[in-house]
Structure formats: C-alpha cells, structure tokens
Amino acid sequence: MKFLRHGAPGAEKPGLLADDGTIRDLSGHVADLSGAALAPDALKALGGIDVSGLPVVDAGTRLGACVAGTGKFICIGLNFSDHAAETGASVPPEPVIFMKATSAIVGPNDEVRIPRGSEKTDWEVELGVVIGKTAKYVSETEALDYVAGYCVSHDVSERAFQTERAGQWTKGKSCDTFGPIGPWLVTKDEITDPQNLGMWLKVNGETMQDGSSKTMVYGVAFLVSYLSQFMSLHPGDVISTGTPPGVGLGMKPPRFLKDGDVVELGIEGLGTQKQTFRADR
C-alpha cells in the first residue's frame, strides 16, 4: 500500500493512494500515520479497508510528509561507494551517522528555503526507511520486521555549514525545510528488494543523479540492526540511507543551488518529489 498525509501544514490528515490514482482519506479510521498505526500489522489492517467507501481527496491537495511523529531523523553519510569516490573520501569502516533536526521535515513538493548566508546548498536523493515498531538490539536477519516501509528522502545540505565551519555536520543538514519526505510511505511488501531501486534527481530539468540503491555499502537490514545497538528506534523514526553520485559538491567545478532552481527527484516504486528553492531573506 501507498500511505500519505494530505492537507495544510500542521493540519495534515492520513490517506492512501488508491489503485485508480485517487487519494482517499483515512481520517475516519486512524488519527494519523504515527505511533502504533505504523506497526506492520496495523498498516496491513488499514490496507484492507474497502477503498471505494473512503472519501476522495481533491487532486490538487497539498501532500505533507508521509509520516508523523518522527522523533529521530537519522542520516547515513558516504554510504554509496561511487558517491564516496566522487567526493574523494574513503568508504568508512562503519556507517557514518549524523542527525538531521526533525524541524527540517516538510512535504515532498513544498518550497525549500536556502538559508541566509548560504553559498553551497546541495541536493541528495536518498532512500528513506520508516520504522514501524520499537527496535532495540535486533539482529540483521530480523531487522526488516521492524520496518513500516520506505519513502523518498531529500537530504538537502549546505556544504559550507556542513564541512567548512567548526563542529559536526548537523548544522549543514538541519536548516528549515531541508528534509522533504514522501510523497508516500510504501509498505515493505511492495518493495521486493530495497537494495535494487533506481534513484534519480534533476535540477532545472538536467539529470544530476542517476544511480541505484545496489551500490549502498551498508544495506537497509544492516543499518536498522546496527543503529539499534546504540539507540532504540521508535515508530516514525526515519533513516535516510545515503546518496548515489552526482551531487553538486562532486562536480568539477562544484555546482550549487540558487534562488528559483527547481529540483525533481524520485526512487523506483516510491514516487517523486518536486521543489522550488527560494532564498530565505
């Protein structure tokens, strides 16, 4: 199933994408796509509802982030061998972990704001993994049992904030609107192999990234297990698993986003996003 959240910012309602392409409202059956509603069995029950009886949502309605109640937005750096190579970095011996502030989360087609003082705002299409039930000290073989599903995640980054100023990467990753997720939360039963998904991104119609999750160094099951050794993963937590090559930082010369640029991105089976970037005055 493809679940989603629709409506104005801060007032989103749960819904799903029907087979006929219409958006159907689920607010009569569940308060939101958060907490216990994200458990695999709960999502399966929602998917079993007779769609024909659900209200149809206007086609032009805004889509919000596809999951609510995200407590942790965990990102994995340099997790694609070909991306590490383009940045001149070595493949890390263990996953590089950093946090993205949950206040960065926005809908898949919302405007993204280039922060004041930014000169190096960059793009990164990533596979997002949404946790469905609490995971702590789980093995790699059982890790996917704790996954609700997958989504497109855009790990927008300000490279100067990230690497040229003292401290950790977080401040270059957590600017307001730097975390579009969605359009859909696609349940894991629809994704046969999360390690074989085409991923792409365009800037102003020009293809910049054209890769696949098959070149991930550390796969989804490994990452869920690995992270659960250090912290409990809770329903609604999102893991953004890294990006394939083609980011602006890796170009010669580097290329970054400016006011008015339009970025489109998508992942096979998970839908697409489209954002206009605007300078934050």
Side-chain angles (χ1 to χ4, degrees):
M1 295 296 294
K2 296 178 175 68
F3 293 97
L4 53 86
R5 298 172 66 247
H6 61 91
E12 293 92 345
K13 297 179 180 180
L16 58 78
L17 184 71
D19 290 340
D20 62 2
T22 60
I23 295 173
R24 302 297 180 117
D25 182 65
L26 279 171
S27 59
H29 296 270
V30 64
D32 210 341
L33 296 175
S34 62
L38 294 170
D41 288 347
L43 291 177
K44 184 177 180 179
L46 287 174
I49 295 171
D50 181 8
V51 174
S52 65
L54 296 174
V56 177
V57 178
D58 289 344
T61 299
R62 169 189 175 269
L63 295 181
C66 60
V67 61
T70 299
K72 293 188 289 296
F73 198 165
I74 308 167
C75 298
I76 309 299
L78 302 173
N79 194 32
F80 280 66
S81 54
D82 36 10
H83 170 57
E86 76 171 341
T87 62
S90 300
V91 172
E94 291 191 41
V96 174
I97 302 170
F98 61 92
M99 295 294 204
K100 200 175 186 84
T102 56
S103 55
I105 294 173
V106 290
N109 304 312
D110 288 345
E111 248 183 23
V112 174
R113 308 300 297 186
I114 299 173
R116 292 181 185 178
S118 168
E119 296 180 352
K120 298 183 178 180
T121 293
D122 203 350
W123 56 83
E124 294 189 35
V125 58
E126 304 202 0
L127 171 63
V129 179
V130 179
I131 299 299
K133 59 181 182 178
T134 300
K136 185 174 184 178
Y137 301 134
V138 302
S139 69
E140 187 172 352
T141 56
E142 65 181 343
L144 296 186
D145 294 340
Y146 296 83
V147 172
Y150 305 98
C151 65
V152 180
S153 173
H154 191 180
D155 178 21
V156 186
S157 309
E158 211 301 335
R159 302 302 189 184
F161 295 179
Q162 177 187 353
T163 62
E164 298 174 20
R165 299 177 64 170
Q168 300 177 340
W169 288 5
T170 303
K171 62 180 173 288
K173 298 284 191 170
S174 296
C175 304
D176 293 348
T177 73
F178 269 26
I181 55 174
W184 314 314
L185 166 61
V186 181
T187 51
K188 61 187 176 184
D189 59 289
E190 290 204 8
I191 304 300
T192 303
D193 183 4
Q195 305 310 147
N196 190 27
L197 301 175
M199 308 169 68
W200 59 270
L201 182 145
K202 298 179 181 181
V203 178
N204 300 327
E206 180 182 357
T207 297
M208 299 299 182
Q209 294 185 275
D210 184 12
S212 170
S213 61
K214 69 176 63 174
T215 65
M216 286 172 63
V217 178
Y218 301 106
V220 171
F222 179 89
L223 290 171
V224 172
S225 173
Y226 181 84
L227 291 167
S228 78
Q229 310 307 311
F230 304 101
M231 65 191 87
S232 294
L233 302 175
H234 297 127
D237 286 352
V238 176
I239 305 168
S240 202
T241 57
T243 197
V247 300
L249 179 67
M251 295 184 173
K252 298 183 182 356
R255 175 174 170 180
F256 299 109
L257 295 164
K258 61 185 185 302
D259 184 73
D261 282 344
V262 176
V263 177
E264 300 170 87
L265 59 149
I267 298 178
E268 182 182 354
L270 302 183
T272 63
Q273 301 183 357
K274 183 177 182 179
Q275 298 117 22
T276 299
F277 279 65
R278 294 296 184 193
D280 215 353
R281 307 297 184 188

